[in-house]
Amino acid sequence: MTSLPSTTNKKLGLVIDLDTCVGCHACATNCKEWNTGGHSAPLTDYDPYGKKPDGVWFNRVHSYEVKRGNRPNLTINFPRSCLHCENAGCVTVCPTGASYKRAEDGIVLVNTDKCIGCKLCSWACPYGAREFDEDEGVMKKCTLCVDRIYNENLEPEDRQPVCVITCPAGARHFGDLNDPESAVSQLTAARHGRDLMGELGYKPTNKYLPPRARKVDAADVGAPEELEAVEADGFLGWLDNVLSK
Amino acid sequence: MHPAFSVIFFTTSSGAGYGLLALMGIFGAAGLLPADRWVGLAGLFMALALISTGLLSSTFHLGRPERAWRAITQWRSSWLAREGVMAVLTYIPAGLMGLGWVWFEDMQGPWAVAGIVTALLSWITVVCTAMIYRSLRPIHQWHNDWTVPSYGLLSLMSGAVLMSVLIHLFGIENDYIQGLTVVTLAAGWGLKTLYWGFNKRSRGLPTMNSALGIDAGDVSVLELPHTSDNYLMKEMGFKVARKHADKLRRIAHLLGFALPLALSLLAMFVSGYVALAAVVIAWGSCSLGILTERWLFFAEAKHTVNLYYGATSV
């Protein structure tokens, strides 16, 4: 059914820290690597070694510059993927029942056996999270690594989305955002996590942590404004005395 | 948004077909059209042929056309599915109406009821089509109160233009039908002009800042995630027609509304072959104009995903 569940037991999602993301694209690359053999496999590439390589990705890392008046400009690296919205418009528009939101954990998935490739869900997503696979004629999207997070063949610490595991900067966090005690909820509260385009009312589950205030001046980190000369003693003190005469 | 030709053809062709079908039902039931076999056959054939080729064409843009039947299952939540259901249902009273009109040459009693039900279902189908676009919140140019009236009126208008061809072909003098053509052309022109005006003035709420969750500062693109255009940029970032939007809009004004309106007015004051030629040219011109209008409807729609690729507003 493409009607949304009225509530979900869990709201599994990601918290992405725009302060620490270094824009290395490791999350996107490992996502591609895992998912091209995962739930929605394959993640088709067109012309991969040609002049205009293109293909299906679940995660894309943008970079932006933010001009902030007289303060120094800010560089933001921005990974963009499915936000597993509570009010997922991509699901309700689906005419076939291929798109669905799971009542148990809130993950939004596509059953590619039912998808007719009408692309309407990709129009309904404000975030551009869904990408059409031209070879297979069906829509594909982030699965929140549904084939890892419950996978008992993996070690418990590996039961997380690959983008989170692979992030070298610790900028990605995975957990239940429905549980106020969870690490991701605590982090979101402490760092004032944001909903993207909240004004559209999709109620995204994933949160983005805005960059923290930059420490621009030496005083910001408790360091002295200028270095002062150290009083020397011994041989250097004697030399200083002689030369000062 | 990328203007897929199959969808443009579908919405214009089926729109005109449902407009004509509804008018056949109403005018037939009201006794304003003769319950004549050939009038009924010609009108219903035109309407159903336009609807059916339109519906068929809409399946051409699917990635998996062989699964199209699945698209009527999720009518509880999806306007696209509702449209599919209503489109299929409309064939039933339309078939009954055809049986009465063409076979029994009778459009009274139960056949008239079939005509009225056909008209209602046709209009509901057109509203469902419009609601597919109206319901998409990421596209401000569609998610507004102009979309549904505009689709509805333009469908009725192109149906009326076709019907005036039909009556002139059969030499039927009917001021109601020709008058309706003139009125709907004028009203459609006015409504679409207002709609275009709204789209020119109004912008969607999301900004680059809200798209990124960054409250303050001027955001600009430093680097894109990929080196060549991806699906999102091809599907949602279409720019070719926007470049020529003003020229295309003038064409739509002229061919879609001004010329057919003048010719339909002319047809009220002349008769015979001159009137027939006028309404046929009006129909040809109107069809091209509405195809252009529909092209603009897609090409000028700006999806919020463009904010991630450097658009400052949508």
Side-chain angles (χ1 to χ4, degrees):
Chain A
M1 262 326 285
T2 53
S3 298
L4 294 171
S6 53
T7 54
T8 57
N9 297 333
K10 287 182 174 179
K11 288 183 195 169
L12 296 186
L14 302 173
V15 172
I16 296 169
D17 192 342
L18 297 181
D19 192 62
T20 47
C21 176
V22 294
C24 67
H25 296 249
C27 54
T29 313
N30 206 6
C31 166
K32 180 89 170 169
E33 198 279 328
W34 174 262
N35 282 296
T36 203
H39 175 275
S40 299
L43 263 58
T44 310
D45 282 324
Y46 327 114
D47 194 23
Y49 306 105
K51 281 193 174 154
K52 289 195 170 236
D54 185 12
V56 181
W57 293 68
F58 294 165
N59 188 8
R60 304 268 192 182
V61 184
H62 296 248
S63 296
Y64 299 94
E65 186 165 45
V66 188
K67 291 192 175 66
R68 304 177 303 160
N70 52 7
R71 286 179 295 162
N73 288 356
L74 209 60
T75 301
I76 305 277
N77 301 297
F78 183 89
R80 179 175 54 79
S81 59
C82 174
L83 305 166
H84 297 279
C85 300
E86 203 177 319
N87 197 0
C90 57
V91 170
T92 54
V93 298
C94 176
T96 68
S99 280
Y100 59 105
K101 185 172 174 70
R102 297 174 16 138
E104 60 268 40
D105 53 17
I107 298 179
V108 176
L109 291 175
V110 178
N111 177 349
T112 49
D113 290 338
K114 282 187 176 177
C115 177
I116 57 171
C118 72
K119 303 178 183 170
L120 190 56
C121 56
S122 70
W123 296 6
C125 173
Y127 312 103
R130 290 175 171 239
E131 298 199 4
F132 186 66
D133 183 333
E134 283 169 31
D135 278 7
E136 296 216 304
V138 295
M139 194 59 74
K140 298 197 170 169
K141 68 174 292 299
C142 160
T143 65
L144 205 64
C145 285
V146 69
D147 41 16
R148 289 186 68 92
I149 58 178
Y150 299 111
N151 191 339
E152 292 183 357
N153 296 316
L154 299 176
E155 297 299 323
E157 62 269 29
D158 283 335
R159 293 176 202 162
Q160 293 191 70
V162 277
C163 58
V164 173
I165 292 176
T166 204
C167 179
R172 302 179 72 96
H173 309 266
F174 165 71
D176 179 10
L177 285 137
N178 205 27
D179 172 11
E181 301 304 316
S182 71
V184 281
S185 296
Q186 301 277 330
L187 184 62
T188 304
R191 294 278 307 282
H192 307 288
R194 302 293 154 89
D195 284 351
L196 304 184
M197 288 189 254
E199 60 274 30
L200 290 180
Y202 279 65
K203 297 191 188 164
T205 301
N206 288 11
K207 306 292 176 212
Y208 281 77
L209 308 180
R212 284 174 277 212
R214 283 290 184 269
K215 287 159 182 163
V216 177
D217 297 325
D220 290 341
V221 290
E225 290 286 331
E226 282 175 34
L227 291 181
E228 282 169 30
V230 183
E231 284 292 318
D233 50 12
F235 172 70
L236 284 178
W238 171 80
L239 195 63
D240 185 28
N241 269 332
V242 170
L243 292 174
S244 299
K245 278 176 186 165
Chain B
M1 301 297 293
H2 171 69
F5 189 74
S6 59
V7 179
I8 293 177
F9 178 76
F10 157 62
T11 58
T12 40
S13 168
S14 294
Y18 282 118
L20 179 62
L21 190 63
L23 290 177
M24 289 289 289
I26 293 293
F27 284 122
L32 288 169
L33 278 175
D36 168 79
R37 175 162 301 151
W38 299 109
V39 173
L41 190 65
L44 292 177
F45 178 78
M46 262 201 266
L48 292 173
L50 282 170
I51 292 168
S52 306
T53 43
L55 289 173
L56 208 62
S57 131
S58 75
T59 64
F60 290 162
H61 90 287
L62 298 180
R64 291 294 191 113
E66 77 279 10
R67 297 176 182 168
W69 63 270
R70 289 188 184 275
I72 56 171
T73 59
Q74 302 302 311
W75 51 271
R76 284 190 191 84
S77 76
S78 164
W79 283 104
L80 178 51
R82 287 171 196 161
E83 181 204 37
V85 171
M86 295 316 292
V88 172
L89 285 182
T90 308
Y91 280 104
I92 298 168
L96 285 173
M97 173 168 74
L99 191 66
W101 201 328
V102 179
W103 190 258
F104 296 107
E105 297 203 300
D106 182 5
M107 269 305 284
Q108 287 175 336
W111 308 118
V113 175
I116 291 165
V117 174
T118 303
L120 289 176
L121 292 186
S122 299
W123 286 326
I124 294 173
T125 309
V126 173
V127 168
C128 288
T129 306
M131 281 305 293
I132 295 172
Y133 303 103
R134 166 73 175 86
S135 64
L136 294 175
R137 275 176 283 177
I139 303 161
H140 181 66
Q141 291 74 22
W142 296 351
H143 185 66
N144 61 61
D145 290 336
W146 297 94
T147 307
V148 176
S150 160
Y151 260 87
L153 190 53
L154 293 194
S155 156
L156 195 65
M157 181 190 94
S158 24
V161 169
L162 257 175
M163 182 164 264
S164 74
V165 173
L166 181 74
I167 59 168
H168 281 89
L169 274 177
F170 284 90
I172 303 165
E173 288 284 324
N174 191 322
D175 286 343
Y176 288 107
I177 291 173
Q178 198 55 32
L180 182 76
T181 309
V182 170
V183 169
T184 51
L185 276 165
W189 193 4
L191 185 67
K192 194 66 213 190
T193 306
L194 290 171
Y195 186 178
W196 276 327
F198 168 82
N199 276 351
K200 198 165 191 178
R201 285 191 315 276
S202 182
R203 290 286 170 270
L205 285 177
T207 60
M208 261 180 119
N209 288 78
S210 76
L212 300 180
I214 305 284
D215 294 343
D218 293 328
V219 186
S220 56
V221 170
L222 188 65
E223 202 171 49
L224 289 183
H226 36 85
T227 49
S228 55
D229 284 2
N230 68 347
Y231 166 71
L232 299 172
M233 297 170 86
K234 290 175 205 158
E235 182 78 3
M236 329 275 185
F238 192 78
K239 288 198 179 87
V240 177
R242 264 185 244 163
K243 196 174 135 197
H244 305 293
D246 289 334
K247 203 173 280 175
L248 288 170
R249 204 181 330 278
R250 280 198 293 277
I251 292 173
H253 271 297
L254 181 72
L255 295 185
F257 304 104
L259 196 60
L261 180 61
L263 289 168
S264 301
L265 266 173
L266 176 74
M268 293 187 90
F269 300 102
V270 293
S271 58
Y273 286 115
V274 182
L276 180 62
V279 295
V280 168
I281 298 170
W283 169 70
S285 162
C286 188
S287 306
L288 286 176
I290 297 307
L291 280 174
T292 315
E293 177 272 333
R294 211 50 52 91
W295 170 280
L296 283 170
F297 177 79
F298 285 93
E300 291 197 300
K302 299 186 194 88
H303 194 279
T304 48
V305 80
N306 287 297
L307 294 169
Y308 292 108
Y309 287 91
T312 46
S313 70
V314 286

mmCIF file of all heavy atoms in Angstrom, chain A residues 149-174:
data_model
loop_
_atom_site.group_PDB
_atom_site.id
_atom_site.type_symbol
_atom_site.label_atom_id
_atom_site.label_comp_id
_atom_site.label_asym_id
_atom_site.label_seq_id
_atom_site.Cartn_x
_atom_site.Cartn_y
_atom_site.Cartn_z
ATOM 1 N N ILE A 149 21.728 -3.466 8.243
ATOM 2 C CA ILE A 149 21.457 -3.076 9.627
ATOM 3 C C ILE A 149 20.778 -4.178 10.450
ATOM 4 O O ILE A 149 20.834 -4.163 11.665
ATOM 5 C CB ILE A 149 20.650 -1.757 9.701
ATOM 6 C CG1 ILE A 149 19.328 -1.886 8.946
ATOM 7 C CG2 ILE A 149 21.468 -0.601 9.147
ATOM 8 C CD1 ILE A 149 18.474 -0.633 9.022
ATOM 9 N N TYR A 150 20.135 -5.145 9.761
ATOM 10 C CA TYR A 150 19.535 -6.278 10.480
ATOM 11 C C TYR A 150 20.268 -7.577 10.160
ATOM 12 O O TYR A 150 19.789 -8.658 10.484
ATOM 13 C CB TYR A 150 18.062 -6.439 10.092
ATOM 14 C CG TYR A 150 17.208 -5.237 10.419
ATOM 15 C CD1 TYR A 150 16.679 -4.440 9.418
ATOM 16 C CD2 TYR A 150 16.929 -4.903 11.747
ATOM 17 C CE1 TYR A 150 15.889 -3.346 9.718
ATOM 18 C CE2 TYR A 150 16.149 -3.804 12.057
ATOM 19 C CZ TYR A 150 15.630 -3.032 11.039
ATOM 20 O OH TYR A 150 14.847 -1.958 11.341
ATOM 21 N N ASN A 151 21.425 -7.464 9.508
ATOM 22 C CA ASN A 151 22.084 -8.633 8.946
ATOM 23 C C ASN A 151 22.913 -9.355 10.010
ATOM 24 O O ASN A 151 23.971 -8.893 10.422
ATOM 25 C CB ASN A 151 22.977 -8.185 7.783
ATOM 26 C CG ASN A 151 23.500 -9.353 6.975
ATOM 27 O OD1 ASN A 151 23.544 -10.488 7.461
ATOM 28 N ND2 ASN A 151 23.884 -9.064 5.749
ATOM 29 N N GLU A 152 22.421 -10.523 10.427
ATOM 30 C CA GLU A 152 23.090 -11.241 11.515
ATOM 31 C C GLU A 152 24.359 -11.942 11.068
ATOM 32 O O GLU A 152 25.090 -12.494 11.885
ATOM 33 C CB GLU A 152 22.111 -12.217 12.165
ATOM 34 C CG GLU A 152 21.020 -11.453 12.898
ATOM 35 C CD GLU A 152 20.038 -12.333 13.640
ATOM 36 O OE1 GLU A 152 20.156 -13.562 13.541
ATOM 37 O OE2 GLU A 152 19.151 -11.757 14.299
ATOM 38 N N ASN A 153 24.624 -11.939 9.773
ATOM 39 C CA ASN A 153 25.898 -12.492 9.289
ATOM 40 C C ASN A 153 27.039 -11.504 9.478
ATOM 41 O O ASN A 153 28.194 -11.854 9.277
ATOM 42 C CB ASN A 153 25.786 -12.851 7.812
ATOM 43 C CG ASN A 153 24.778 -13.953 7.594
ATOM 44 O OD1 ASN A 153 24.755 -14.939 8.328
ATOM 45 N ND2 ASN A 153 23.897 -13.765 6.619
ATOM 46 N N LEU A 154 26.694 -10.274 9.831
ATOM 47 C CA LEU A 154 27.730 -9.267 10.058
ATOM 48 C C LEU A 154 27.974 -9.119 11.554
ATOM 49 O O LEU A 154 27.100 -9.419 12.374
ATOM 50 C CB LEU A 154 27.300 -7.914 9.480
ATOM 51 C CG LEU A 154 27.028 -7.838 7.972
ATOM 52 C CD1 LEU A 154 26.513 -6.446 7.608
ATOM 53 C CD2 LEU A 154 28.294 -8.166 7.197
ATOM 54 N N GLU A 155 29.173 -8.643 11.893
ATOM 55 C CA GLU A 155 29.460 -8.332 13.300
ATOM 56 C C GLU A 155 28.530 -7.199 13.733
ATOM 57 O O GLU A 155 28.189 -6.330 12.921
ATOM 58 C CB GLU A 155 30.914 -7.874 13.440
ATOM 59 C CG GLU A 155 31.956 -8.924 13.062
ATOM 60 C CD GLU A 155 31.870 -10.167 13.934
ATOM 61 O OE1 GLU A 155 31.603 -10.030 15.145
ATOM 62 O OE2 GLU A 155 32.045 -11.282 13.398
ATOM 63 N N PRO A 156 28.129 -7.181 15.028
ATOM 64 C CA PRO A 156 27.179 -6.145 15.474
ATOM 65 C C PRO A 156 27.621 -4.727 15.114
ATOM 66 O O PRO A 156 26.782 -3.917 14.716
ATOM 67 C CB PRO A 156 27.131 -6.349 16.988
ATOM 68 C CG PRO A 156 27.484 -7.783 17.181
ATOM 69 C CD PRO A 156 28.442 -8.149 16.076
ATOM 70 N N GLU A 157 28.946 -4.445 15.226
ATOM 71 C CA GLU A 157 29.389 -3.076 14.936
ATOM 72 C C GLU A 157 29.323 -2.742 13.450
ATOM 73 O O GLU A 157 29.403 -1.586 13.067
ATOM 74 C CB GLU A 157 30.810 -2.838 15.481
ATOM 75 C CG GLU A 157 31.885 -3.723 14.888
ATOM 76 C CD GLU A 157 32.076 -5.014 15.684
ATOM 77 O OE1 GLU A 157 31.099 -5.478 16.307
ATOM 78 O OE2 GLU A 157 33.191 -5.571 15.658
ATOM 79 N N ASP A 158 29.160 -3.780 12.620
ATOM 80 C CA ASP A 158 29.049 -3.538 11.178
ATOM 81 C C ASP A 158 27.595 -3.397 10.725
ATOM 82 O O ASP A 158 27.338 -3.148 9.557
ATOM 83 C CB ASP A 158 29.709 -4.683 10.396
ATOM 84 C CG ASP A 158 31.226 -4.558 10.412
ATOM 85 O OD1 ASP A 158 31.708 -3.417 10.573
ATOM 86 O OD2 ASP A 158 31.909 -5.590 10.283
ATOM 87 N N ARG A 159 26.649 -3.561 11.641
ATOM 88 C CA ARG A 159 25.238 -3.474 11.268
ATOM 89 C C ARG A 159 24.790 -2.014 11.236
ATOM 90 O O ARG A 159 23.959 -1.561 12.024
ATOM 91 C CB ARG A 159 24.371 -4.299 12.214
ATOM 92 C CG ARG A 159 24.639 -5.787 12.060
ATOM 93 C CD ARG A 159 23.865 -6.610 13.068
ATOM 94 N NE ARG A 159 24.528 -7.913 13.247
ATOM 95 C CZ ARG A 159 24.307 -8.710 14.274
ATOM 96 N NH1 ARG A 159 23.452 -8.365 15.223
ATOM 97 N NH2 ARG A 159 24.946 -9.864 14.373
ATOM 98 N N GLN A 160 25.406 -1.278 10.352
ATOM 99 C CA GLN A 160 25.106 0.140 10.161
ATOM 100 C C GLN A 160 25.191 0.421 8.666
ATOM 101 O O GLN A 160 25.845 -0.318 7.935
ATOM 102 C CB GLN A 160 26.150 1.012 10.851
ATOM 103 C CG GLN A 160 26.151 0.933 12.348
ATOM 104 C CD GLN A 160 27.022 2.039 12.919
ATOM 105 O OE1 GLN A 160 26.678 3.207 12.857
ATOM 106 N NE2 GLN A 160 28.176 1.653 13.432
ATOM 107 N N PRO A 161 24.574 1.517 8.203
ATOM 108 C CA PRO A 161 24.743 1.867 6.791
ATOM 109 C C PRO A 161 26.219 2.052 6.471
ATOM 110 O O PRO A 161 26.983 2.594 7.291
ATOM 111 C CB PRO A 161 23.976 3.186 6.658
ATOM 112 C CG PRO A 161 22.977 3.153 7.775
ATOM 113 C CD PRO A 161 23.654 2.434 8.896
ATOM 114 N N VAL A 162 26.646 1.646 5.260
ATOM 115 C CA VAL A 162 28.073 1.730 4.929
ATOM 116 C C VAL A 162 28.580 3.167 4.912
ATOM 117 O O VAL A 162 29.750 3.413 5.209
ATOM 118 C CB VAL A 162 28.424 1.085 3.564
ATOM 119 C CG1 VAL A 162 28.598 -0.387 3.712
ATOM 120 C CG2 VAL A 162 27.437 1.463 2.496
ATOM 121 N N CYS A 163 27.718 4.123 4.570
ATOM 122 C CA CYS A 163 28.179 5.517 4.520
ATOM 123 C C CYS A 163 28.640 5.975 5.901
ATOM 124 O O CYS A 163 29.568 6.762 6.027
ATOM 125 C CB CYS A 163 27.069 6.420 3.993
ATOM 126 S SG CYS A 163 25.544 6.369 4.959
ATOM 127 N N VAL A 164 27.973 5.431 6.946
ATOM 128 C CA VAL A 164 28.328 5.813 8.315
ATOM 129 C C VAL A 164 29.639 5.154 8.719
ATOM 130 O O VAL A 164 30.537 5.799 9.275
ATOM 131 C CB VAL A 164 27.183 5.406 9.286
ATOM 132 C CG1 VAL A 164 27.592 5.634 10.729
ATOM 133 C CG2 VAL A 164 25.904 6.157 8.943
ATOM 134 N N ILE A 165 29.743 3.849 8.403
ATOM 135 C CA ILE A 165 30.943 3.112 8.788
ATOM 136 C C ILE A 165 32.186 3.685 8.121
ATOM 137 O O ILE A 165 33.245 3.792 8.715
ATOM 138 C CB ILE A 165 30.785 1.630 8.407
ATOM 139 C CG1 ILE A 165 29.703 0.997 9.281
ATOM 140 C CG2 ILE A 165 32.094 0.878 8.546
ATOM 141 C CD1 ILE A 165 29.404 -0.432 8.934
ATOM 142 N N THR A 166 32.027 4.085 6.860
ATOM 143 C CA THR A 166 33.206 4.463 6.079
ATOM 144 C C THR A 166 33.653 5.891 6.337
ATOM 145 O O THR A 166 34.794 6.236 6.048
ATOM 146 C CB THR A 166 32.918 4.262 4.572
ATOM 147 O OG1 THR A 166 34.137 4.095 3.889
ATOM 148 C CG2 THR A 166 32.197 5.447 3.976
ATOM 149 N N CYS A 167 32.803 6.742 6.913
ATOM 150 C CA CYS A 167 33.133 8.165 7.034
ATOM 151 C C CYS A 167 34.381 8.361 7.900
ATOM 152 O O CYS A 167 34.378 8.049 9.084
ATOM 153 C CB CYS A 167 31.971 8.940 7.625
ATOM 154 S SG CYS A 167 32.368 10.694 7.824
ATOM 155 N N PRO A 168 35.488 8.868 7.328
ATOM 156 C CA PRO A 168 36.726 9.019 8.098
ATOM 157 C C PRO A 168 36.677 10.196 9.065
ATOM 158 O O PRO A 168 37.510 10.292 9.970
ATOM 159 C CB PRO A 168 37.781 9.253 7.007
ATOM 160 C CG PRO A 168 37.028 9.895 5.896
ATOM 161 C CD PRO A 168 35.634 9.329 5.946
ATOM 162 N N ALA A 169 35.711 11.094 8.879
ATOM 163 C CA ALA A 169 35.648 12.285 9.725
ATOM 164 C C ALA A 169 34.618 12.135 10.842
ATOM 165 O O ALA A 169 34.436 13.043 11.642
ATOM 166 C CB ALA A 169 35.320 13.509 8.869
ATOM 167 N N GLY A 170 33.939 10.997 10.893
ATOM 168 C CA GLY A 170 32.897 10.819 11.905
ATOM 169 C C GLY A 170 31.761 11.805 11.749
ATOM 170 O O GLY A 170 31.148 12.233 12.720
ATOM 171 N N ALA A 171 31.467 12.157 10.488
ATOM 172 C CA ALA A 171 30.428 13.165 10.243
ATOM 173 C C ALA A 171 29.058 12.550 10.077
ATOM 174 O O ALA A 171 28.075 13.268 9.960
ATOM 175 C CB ALA A 171 30.788 13.974 9.000
ATOM 176 N N ARG A 172 28.975 11.218 10.046
ATOM 177 C CA ARG A 172 27.672 10.576 9.809
ATOM 178 C C ARG A 172 27.331 9.669 10.990
ATOM 179 O O ARG A 172 28.175 8.924 11.482
ATOM 180 C CB ARG A 172 27.710 9.769 8.506
ATOM 181 C CG ARG A 172 28.075 10.601 7.302
ATOM 182 C CD ARG A 172 28.130 9.763 6.048
ATOM 183 N NE ARG A 172 26.810 9.356 5.600
ATOM 184 C CZ ARG A 172 26.110 10.010 4.671
ATOM 185 N NH1 ARG A 172 26.612 11.072 4.095
ATOM 186 N NH2 ARG A 172 24.924 9.592 4.311
ATOM 187 N N HIS A 173 26.085 9.757 11.427
ATOM 188 C CA HIS A 173 25.640 8.977 12.583
ATOM 189 C C HIS A 173 24.322 8.312 12.244
ATOM 190 O O HIS A 173 23.476 8.907 11.590
ATOM 191 C CB HIS A 173 25.463 9.896 13.793
ATOM 192 C CG HIS A 173 26.663 10.760 14.047
ATOM 193 N ND1 HIS A 173 27.669 10.403 14.918
ATOM 194 C CD2 HIS A 173 27.033 11.952 13.522
ATOM 195 C CE1 HIS A 173 28.605 11.348 14.923
ATOM 196 N NE2 HIS A 173 28.237 12.296 14.080
ATOM 197 N N PHE A 174 24.160 7.063 12.726
ATOM 198 C CA PHE A 174 22.956 6.303 12.413
ATOM 199 C C PHE A 174 22.260 5.895 13.705
ATOM 200 O O PHE A 174 22.906 5.548 14.678
ATOM 201 C CB PHE A 174 23.347 5.043 11.617
ATOM 202 C CG PHE A 174 22.271 4.001 11.535
ATOM 203 C CD1 PHE A 174 21.143 4.218 10.757
ATOM 204 C CD2 PHE A 174 22.385 2.803 12.233
ATOM 205 C CE1 PHE A 174 20.137 3.256 10.673
ATOM 206 C CE2 PHE A 174 21.388 1.835 12.154
ATOM 207 C CZ PHE A 174 20.260 2.065 11.372
#
